[in-house]
Amino acid sequence: SKLERMKADGLLKWDSEFQSWTWDVEEITDRTDISENVVELVAGRIRKMRGHIQAVLKMAACFGHRFDYNLVAATLYAIYLKSSHRKENADDGDNEQMVDHHWAKVARILDYGVSEGLIEEIGRNKFKFTHNRVQEGLYSLIEDEEREYLHLWIGTVVQQKVEMEDTDEALVLLAADHLNRATAQLKDDTRVQKLIKLNFRAADMALCKSAFRQSRTYLLAAIKLLDPETKWKENYELTVSMYSILAKVEYC
């Protein structure tokens, strides 16, 4: 039986001092098939929630186990602007109020997620899912095509932030990670060229920290995006630099 297997695996233990059985729920969840049931239970629970609540929590799940409130809100707002054909800097008195309303709405939904035990706040505007299986349950509700679409938007918003502020390393890597998961959605050559350079920058950052495997991943992603017929003519210097660094990384 399952209980016997759990006892044999050391997940269920007899405490002779208190004359009772003891167990660690998180360890059981991580090491048994119960974890798969948790994903299904979370997914079923989320399906019963309203659409706008699902949208925010699904977007948060796309970021992984931890996420930033401002990035979630900014990405959802960018999608809203695109779908409603509004301009971010539209010259109307309602624009600022609309932005405030959107950010407040996302904040309320995250507060609701906290109250439901799905997420917890771990710092100023920083959140994490209460368990990996909660994030996985939410992510499982997103169709493959929609996942690419959401990762594209996350990567685009973060990349714009990087370009405007030349900001910290973590956001450079975050932008590259998400855009690399949505390369099929990049139809514009200008965007492809930007991602190649972003991956090269991410690879260089990783290399400076002696993260050779990570650097190799970004370099290969960049090289894969190069046009094999024109890379040695139109991107000669960049191509040489990437292959040279890749050779060093492979040696390390």
Side-chain angles (χ1 to χ4, degrees):
S1 70
K2 281 190 175 181
L3 288 176
E4 290 173 339
R5 286 202 303 272
M6 288 167 63
K7 181 182 176 183
D9 291 338
L11 298 173
L12 193 61
K13 302 173 184 176
W14 177 254
D15 189 322
S16 57
E17 181 179 352
F18 293 97
Q19 294 293 297
S20 64
W21 292 98
T22 62
W23 57 85
D24 185 318
V25 174
E26 188 167 337
E27 186 179 7
I28 291 172
T29 300
D30 288 336
R31 291 177 54 190
T32 70
D33 292 338
I34 292 175
S35 59
E36 298 304 321
N37 295 333
V38 171
V39 174
E40 294 174 11
L41 286 170
V42 170
R45 186 175 167 193
I46 298 300
R47 287 191 190 97
K48 296 177 182 178
M49 294 180 179
R50 294 181 179 181
H52 64 285
I53 295 176
Q54 288 191 41
V56 172
L57 294 177
K58 285 179 183 177
M59 175 61 76
C62 286
F63 281 85
H65 185 57
R66 297 169 182 263
F67 60 92
D68 181 279
Y69 153 68
N70 286 313
L71 291 179
V72 170
T75 306
L76 287 166
Y77 188 63
I79 294 173
Y80 163 74
L81 289 176
K82 180 71 174 180
S83 62
S84 62
H85 305 292
R86 295 182 66 103
K87 292 183 178 179
E88 188 171 3
N89 298 315
D91 187 19
D92 63 77
D94 294 333
N95 192 54
E96 186 175 342
Q97 185 177 355
M98 182 177 66
V99 172
D100 291 342
H101 174 74
H102 169 80
W103 252 257
K105 183 178 179 180
V106 172
R108 286 196 301 273
I109 292 173
L110 293 182
D111 286 342
Y112 173 75
V114 171
S115 69
E116 288 292 302
L118 299 173
I119 59 177
E120 58 183 281
E121 193 166 3
I122 55 174
R124 184 178 175 83
N125 296 324
K126 305 291 183 184
F127 293 83
K128 73 172 184 177
F129 288 95
T130 51
H131 195 281
N132 288 337
R133 296 300 180 183
V134 175
Q135 184 266 335
E136 290 171 15
L138 275 158
Y139 196 67
S140 71
L141 293 174
I142 310 172
E143 299 293 335
D144 290 344
E145 189 174 344
E146 186 185 359
R147 285 181 186 179
E148 278 196 357
Y149 177 77
L150 295 179
H151 285 299
L152 174 67
W153 273 106
I154 292 171
T156 300
V157 168
V158 178
Q159 185 179 34
Q160 289 172 349
K161 187 175 178 65
V162 168
E163 291 172 351
M164 289 172 60
E165 303 176 10
D166 193 32
T167 189
D168 63 68
E169 174 184 318
L171 288 184
V172 173
L173 302 184
L174 183 66
D177 288 341
H178 284 282
L179 289 173
N180 285 337
R181 300 179 72 170
T183 53
Q185 302 285 336
L186 296 177
K187 310 299 182 184
D188 185 272
D189 185 60
T190 301
R191 297 201 65 184
V192 173
Q193 293 301 318
K194 280 187 175 182
L195 180 54
I196 290 171
K197 292 176 181 177
L198 185 68
N199 271 307
F200 185 52
R201 183 177 173 185
D204 186 54
M205 286 178 167
L207 185 62
C208 288
K209 296 171 62 178
S210 299
F212 302 116
R213 184 178 298 179
Q214 187 181 30
S215 180
R216 179 179 182 273
T217 298
Y218 290 121
L219 286 169
L220 291 177
I223 290 170
K224 187 178 180 180
L225 290 168
L226 289 169
D227 186 331
E229 296 182 3
T230 63
K231 63 184 179 183
W232 293 109
K233 293 181 180 179
E234 298 179 4
N235 283 296
Y236 179 78
E237 291 185 4
L238 183 61
T239 303
V240 169
S241 296
M242 286 196 290
Y243 275 104
S244 297
I245 295 175
L246 181 61
K248 293 177 182 178
V249 170
E250 295 283 14
Y251 178 76
C252 293

